[in-house]
Amino acid sequence: MINNSNSSNSSNSNSDPVRAGLPARPWPGLLPTSKSFGNFGDANCMEQLLVHCANAIQSNDATLAQQILWVLNNIAPPDGDSNQRLTCAFLRALVARAAKTGTCKILATTAARYCYNNNLLPLSTHRFSAIELATFVDLTPWHRFGFTAANAAILDSIEGYSSVHLVDLTSTHCMQIPTLIDAVASRFESPPLIKLTVAAPTDSSLRPPVLDLSYEELGSKLVNFARSRNVAMEFRVIPSTHSDGFSTLIDHLRIHHLLYPEATPPAAEALVINCHMMLHYIEDESTATIASPSPRDAFLKSIRSLEPTVVVVVDEDVELTAGNLVCRLRSAFNYFWIPFDAVDAFLPAAGSKQRQWYEAEVCWRIENVIAQEGMQRVERAEGKARWVQRMRNAAFREAAFGEDCVAEVRGMLGEHAAGWGLKKEEEDQLVLTWKGHNVVFATAWVPA
């Protein structure tokens, strides 16, 4: 269930449907009067209205879609409470879907006016400096949870190796690596050589957060930081992308594996695959042909063939792969309330650039889930249970997180707002929670 705080009555300048460019005739049986908008502020009711709007767009019923839009426009202002901002984000996504697909052409013509009247910023993303991005990802445990759990698993796995080939598949542009370097420097008297390999996207469709820095510049900064901590590091970038299942990266790893086999001293080298909220961008079964295997399963089996020392999988515990728009909308609505609710606990309601960046990223993701289809819909997260099964099918077995790791994660959560929690599932799986609801999971794997 989602956060069901009641919203206050809303009466803005767009409550006149004629001025808003929407139909003026009443909607018998559903359209509320201006005095009764508060009754529609319940999150469950907002979800139902969004579902009705999605169905109207799917069936090309422009009149019904516009009437629901008018209602939602009044009860879900972009500067309202967390439920209202969440609903506003989904409303924008539905309008974008109508404009993109060409259905409900009358509705699509109101999209620009709707955004203008509500003073909504475009969904173009801010380009972060390295320091800004580091601060951004530390706002909540959303990423720090995975960083902390993954680092602990990696440190346990590389004990005794003189060299570590770390493959970082991440959505945060290597923001985990400085914390790992610190941990390596603190733990080992003679730190191993770290060979960091990063897959750089080859397409122009970047998802937020976007780094205002080339990977070469980023690598130089990381190498210099490692040197300051007396850790030797090499950095290489492999042009590769999720759209082809990171095939170029896999080819590079195969060649490297032949040159530096793990079992051959003195060049004993650990191969660490760190997957931080990146695997769900690989195509799933819905985009594969009948004759082809699942691109996700194919990637995992390719990784397994390299006999990695450890594979860490951190991702969001939500199912966003449904082909049916309404099913996807419901699942997304009952997950994305979490960042909107959590942000109220640690950032001011107005005047915060960090808050704008934070919610802009969430809005981008919601729009991708709702408005896009086919190859353009890259937000295809799967729940923990599905990834666990994929890993087992690829001949991996789970590696337990130690008590020191659990204690470190709990200590990290203590630095954030009350509401964040940690639970262990099936002994070897760590799950970040917000008010008891699953948010992000962390698992570690070794060849079976």
Side-chain angles (χ1 to χ4, degrees):
M1 294 297 294
I2 64 175
N3 182 33
N4 286 325
S5 59
N6 289 330
S7 64
S8 59
N9 292 353
S10 173
S11 57
N12 55 36
S13 61
N14 299 318
S15 60
D16 182 350
V18 176
R19 291 179 61 189
L22 303 176
R25 66 175 182 270
W27 185 3
L30 181 58
L31 188 62
T33 65
S34 59
K35 294 182 179 180
S36 64
F37 280 132
N39 298 332
F40 281 70
D42 178 84
N44 291 326
C45 183
M46 290 181 175
E47 179 185 358
Q48 290 303 315
L49 287 172
L50 289 169
V51 167
H52 288 312
C53 189
N55 281 324
I57 291 174
Q58 289 290 85
S59 61
N60 204 26
D61 189 338
T63 300
L64 179 59
Q66 285 187 285
Q67 289 172 328
I68 304 174
L69 171 64
W70 186 84
V71 175
L72 289 169
N73 189 35
N74 279 278
I75 66 174
D79 57 351
D81 63 25
S82 59
N83 286 332
Q84 291 171 321
R85 300 196 312 277
L86 170 69
T87 303
C88 181
F90 275 86
L91 181 56
R92 292 178 66 184
L94 286 171
V95 171
R97 182 183 180 90
K100 181 177 178 61
T101 61
T103 59
C104 296
K105 292 183 179 179
I106 299 177
L107 175 61
T109 61
T110 70
R113 183 185 294 110
Y114 169 76
C115 293
Y116 174 79
N117 288 341
N118 283 289
N119 297 316
L120 296 177
L121 296 174
L123 287 176
S124 57
T125 57
H126 172 74
R127 300 187 73 89
F128 291 84
S129 70
I131 294 177
E132 284 178 340
L133 183 56
T135 303
F136 176 76
V137 299
D138 283 347
L139 286 175
T140 74
W142 208 282
H143 292 291
R144 288 192 70 194
F145 162 77
F147 293 173
T148 305
N151 286 350
I154 292 171
L155 288 174
D156 287 342
S157 300
I158 65 176
E159 189 86 42
Y161 286 94
S162 60
S163 177
V164 177
H165 185 189
L166 173 62
V167 181
D168 195 36
L169 290 174
T170 174
S171 61
T172 62
H173 308 287
C174 301
M175 288 298 108
Q176 176 183 339
I177 303 305
T179 62
L180 179 61
I181 292 172
D182 265 334
V184 168
S186 299
R187 178 158 175 168
F188 301 107
E189 184 175 346
S190 297
L193 166 67
I194 298 178
K195 300 177 180 179
L196 177 61
T197 297
V198 177
T202 56
D203 53 22
S204 58
S205 56
L206 298 176
R207 66 167 301 279
V210 178
L211 186 63
D212 190 22
L213 202 68
S214 71
Y215 275 95
E216 288 74 16
E217 293 171 312
L218 176 63
S220 178
K221 289 180 179 293
L222 289 173
V223 169
N224 290 336
F225 176 74
R227 185 181 300 118
S228 73
R229 303 291 280 118
N230 296 317
V231 176
M233 173 179 277
E234 299 175 0
F235 182 89
R236 59 180 60 84
V237 178
I238 305 301
S240 193
T241 182
H242 59 81
S243 61
D244 63 358
F246 297 106
S247 59
T248 306
L249 174 67
I250 295 295
D251 290 341
H252 166 80
L253 295 180
R254 286 198 179 104
I255 295 173
H256 187 87
H257 185 62
L258 291 174
L259 293 176
Y260 301 98
E262 181 182 6
T264 305
E269 184 170 278
L271 174 59
V272 176
I273 312 295
N274 184 56
C275 305
H276 184 88
M277 300 192 189
M278 181 59 74
L279 294 190
H280 73 258
Y281 291 111
I282 299 175
E283 298 173 32
D284 63 352
E285 285 78 359
S286 66
T287 57
T289 62
I290 297 178
S292 301
S294 162
R296 295 183 180 185
D297 291 341
F299 172 80
L300 295 179
K301 290 177 181 178
S302 295
I303 291 297
R304 175 62 180 83
S305 69
L306 299 173
E307 297 289 336
T309 308
V310 68
V311 177
V312 181
V313 177
V314 176
D315 220 311
E316 295 167 323
D317 197 6
V318 60
E319 175 59 56
L320 298 177
T321 63
N324 179 275
L325 174 62
V326 169
C327 291
R328 205 161 66 239
L329 185 151
R330 288 188 182 278
S331 182
F333 191 85
N334 283 277
Y335 180 77
F336 284 115
W337 72 270
I338 295 173
F340 280 98
D341 187 54
V343 74
D344 287 342
F346 65 89
L347 286 178
S352 169
K353 279 290 183 184
Q354 288 184 322
R355 185 181 184 122
Q356 290 181 11
W357 298 337
Y358 179 86
E359 294 197 351
E361 180 190 13
V362 181
C363 288
W364 185 95
R365 300 187 61 198
I366 290 173
E367 179 168 326
N368 189 264
V369 170
I370 300 302
Q372 303 288 354
E373 293 293 351
M375 300 295 291
Q376 285 69 44
R377 179 157 59 86
V378 297
E379 288 289 342
R380 296 174 179 269
E382 291 184 310
K384 173 175 63 67
R386 187 71 181 101
W387 280 113
V388 167
Q389 190 59 54
R390 286 189 189 278
M391 293 298 291
R392 290 173 178 169
N393 291 344
F396 287 99
R397 63 176 176 83
E398 289 177 84
F401 291 98
E403 289 305 315
D404 289 344
C405 170
V406 173
E408 190 172 352
V409 172
R410 291 193 190 280
M412 180 273 297
L413 293 180
E415 301 173 12
H416 292 274
W420 296 105
L422 172 69
K423 65 181 180 181
K424 294 184 71 175
E425 295 185 348
E426 297 186 23
E427 298 184 2
D428 297 330
Q429 304 161 13
L430 298 184
V431 181
L432 173 70
T433 64
W434 172 254
K435 296 181 179 180
H437 300 272
N438 287 13
V439 182
V440 176
F441 68 87
T443 56
W445 303 85
V446 296

